[in-house]
Amino acid sequence: MRRTAHDDIELSPVDDLVPADVGITFRDIMMSATIRSRNSSSPIIARAVSHWRTPGERLIVLLWFRYTLHITAARGREPIWCGEMAMADNKNQHFVPRTHLKPFTLNGEGLAINLFNMTGMKAIQNAPAKNQCSKDYFYGQDPQLEQAIQSVEGHYGKAVRHLAEGGSVQSGVDVVLRRYVYHQYLRTEAAAQASATMMLAMTDLPGSDFPMPTFGEAVKIATKQAMLHYAETMRIVDDLKMCIVRNATDLPFVTSDNPAVLTNRLHYQRPPPGKRAFGVKTAGALFFLPLTPSSLALFYDGAVYSIAHKRHLVDVRRLSDVAALNDHQYLNCAANIYFGEWEGRDRVAIAAANAAARRPATPHTRTHAVIDQSDDLGERFKVEPVSDIRDGRKRLVHVVMNKPTPSTWPSFLRFRANPSGWSNGTGAGLTRRGCLDQGYVMGRGYTRVRV
């Protein structure tokens, strides 16, 4: 057992859980197993990592331990041993990997790519692919985190090539695509900016003394928190069913700088009372991820939707179905749409113009409520404009991310005859049985309800 400088923590080496190809430096650095607290009579046993199915998964879970130890140490006065720090190998880090963009590049070579910029509403031919969807040290300067992310990307690239060559949807392909779509959903600049905006909206209050980071600092914090969140919750999409949509039309799939789209047809077409928001663990969740101009991965809640498929493959021959799937890229991208053939730029421009009016004008809606009445039964708050709120008054802040509204849905995605979710009658809303079983939903009294 190795003792740290911060004596609240004990670490045991877990070399047997680290993939052999990671290298001795990483083996020496990565330590985990038992975290003991002075204030607890029993140790907090760190999540076992041996059951994760790919090296990328195990690496990121191990990285969760490392960053957790950093955070723990930051609360004390003494540093914690956590290995030698090194600079990340790549300064230019991609939040949408080049392996995802490559099938959409010129001749699939990964060098040049056509894009349509939604801000300027302008098509650009043969832009350098290496400069797309990247920032200097977007994930920071930790080489182990960078390596873990690259491992996830590498498995994804192999899975896409396997499918492009006519391979079947094997269990290994299924797992890789599940891990990747959720990872990609959390990791983009758009996701980080949305989280940062939410963070600032919650802390930027009249008369408050909350420390206010700059927007850039908030984005960096949100990016690292997203990677930690992924390590803790990567199995949250395991209960969703998956199919590969094969495009048999002359309208190619497009991708974007925010390609893994979370949406919810149930929420839009059969909205619950109170206009609640939806998230990954909500009943009716859908993920759309373009793989190539001719294929797309679709994940769906099987208790709500039904898709007729043959061995997880769906052949689409309607232009309207492809347009409906592409619409989510136009609605959710941060700035750029990426497409294959330059000759298709006019159709891309038309689709972009049709989606522009449905993109949210502001990223979030913030509502302030101040205390109006207090008695033995509790406290009552009323909504007031933020300009009318005096300093020092107790208040509640409600922030909702504004999501775009799709105009149509693919015809093969249908509601089941008796769609259902799980609810306990609280504001938590509808969730899925799989999220309850895996402990991603808190609370008691959940029962199955028809929706």
Side-chain angles (χ1 to χ4, degrees), residues 172-408:
V173 172
D174 179 287
V175 171
V176 167
L177 292 182
R178 286 180 191 277
R179 297 293 171 267
Y180 179 82
V181 71
Y182 184 49
H183 185 244
Q184 184 61 70
Y185 165 71
L186 292 173
R187 72 184 279 194
T188 63
E189 183 180 33
Q193 289 182 350
S195 297
T197 300
M198 180 79 78
M199 181 193 311
L200 295 175
M202 294 294 291
T203 56
D204 184 14
L205 303 173
S208 72
D209 57 357
F210 289 123
M212 285 292 296
T214 66
F215 184 71
E217 291 170 340
V219 169
K220 288 186 178 296
I221 293 170
T223 300
K224 291 185 178 181
Q225 288 299 317
M227 294 301 95
L228 298 178
H229 185 64
Y230 172 76
E232 294 176 291
T233 63
M234 64 174 73
R235 288 178 173 255
I236 198 170
V237 296
D238 282 7
D239 66 306
L240 298 178
K241 293 187 176 182
M242 187 196 78
C243 64
I244 301 298
V245 180
R246 300 191 296 192
N247 187 350
T249 76
D250 63 356
L251 177 63
F253 288 129
V254 300
T255 191
S256 71
D257 52 10
N258 190 29
V261 174
L262 169 67
T263 187
N264 194 313
R265 184 177 183 178
L266 177 69
H267 174 87
Y268 288 113
Q269 295 192 333
R270 303 181 184 183
K275 298 182 180 180
R276 298 189 184 100
F278 63 86
V280 177
K281 61 188 177 184
T282 307
L286 293 164
F287 274 105
F288 298 145
L289 176 70
L291 304 178
T292 71
S294 59
S295 62
L296 177 145
L298 192 159
F299 299 83
Y300 62 101
D301 181 355
V304 173
Y305 311 111
S306 175
I307 295 179
H309 62 83
K310 185 176 182 180
R311 297 177 181 174
H312 304 286
L313 298 173
V314 178
D315 292 320
V316 171
R317 295 179 173 81
R318 293 185 181 181
L319 284 174
S320 58
D321 288 339
V322 176
L325 292 167
N326 279 344
D327 190 46
H328 290 273
Q329 296 298 314
Y330 293 101
L331 291 173
N332 290 277
C333 72
N336 293 330
I337 293 291
Y338 299 102
F339 60 100
E341 299 297 330
W342 181 245
E343 291 73 16
R345 63 188 181 278
D346 289 340
R347 290 200 294 190
V348 170
I350 292 171
N354 289 337
R358 289 176 286 123
R359 287 166 59 87
T362 57
H364 66 270
T365 298
R366 181 171 60 171
T367 304
H368 292 263
V370 295
I371 190 165
D372 179 52
Q373 181 179 327
S374 178
D375 53 33
D376 293 341
L377 298 177
E379 297 176 331
R380 175 180 174 181
F381 291 77
K382 68 175 182 179
V383 174
E384 287 189 3
V386 65
S387 58
D388 294 345
I389 299 176
R390 300 188 304 275
D391 293 351
R393 297 176 67 187
K394 189 174 183 180
R395 74 195 75 175
L396 297 176
V397 182
H398 181 238
V399 182
V400 176
M401 298 303 299
N402 296 327
K403 298 180 181 292
T405 303
S407 60
T408 186

Side-chain angles (χ1 to χ4, degrees), residues 411-422:
S411 62
F412 59 84
L413 177 67
R414 301 177 179 178
F415 284 109
R416 299 186 67 88
N418 294 297
S420 63
W422 290 75

